[in-house]
Amino acid sequence: MVRDEAVIGCMGVLVIGTRGADGPGEVLVRLRGGTEAFLAWSDDPLPEGAPVLVIDSRGPREVDVIDWADPLDG
């Protein structure tokens, strides 16, 4: 497995909600001067449109995400 370290710490938006342990969703992440799609896994289900933070890479096109609320977005 080749991890994609560049995506860790990036924010994204779910275009397909995650289902927790039942399966991944899909996230769009702004990365490397463009937008890239990844399979997104989370511990708990997250809805489509949710802002997320990438916390780990499972391989070239799979990431672990958590729900994210930007602390500077007031």
Side-chain angles (χ1 to χ4, degrees):
M1 168 179 83
V2 178
R3 292 170 38 112
D4 187 349
E5 301 284 337
V7 74
I8 298 172
C10 292
M11 291 181 288
V13 176
L14 291 176
V15 293
I16 298 173
T18 64
R19 297 179 289 143
D22 291 333
E26 184 174 333
V27 63
L28 289 180
V29 179
R30 280 187 260 159
L31 184 66
R32 295 183 267 265
T35 303
E36 297 186 27
F38 295 84
L39 286 178
W41 295 86
S42 63
D43 289 338
D44 299 312
L46 298 172
E48 176 183 335
V52 295
L53 177 68
V54 177
I55 59 169
D56 201 3
S57 171
R58 292 185 175 207
R61 302 311 284 170
E62 293 188 55
V63 295
D64 290 323
V65 299
I66 58 172
D67 191 29
W68 177 254
D70 188 344
L72 299 178
D73 192 20

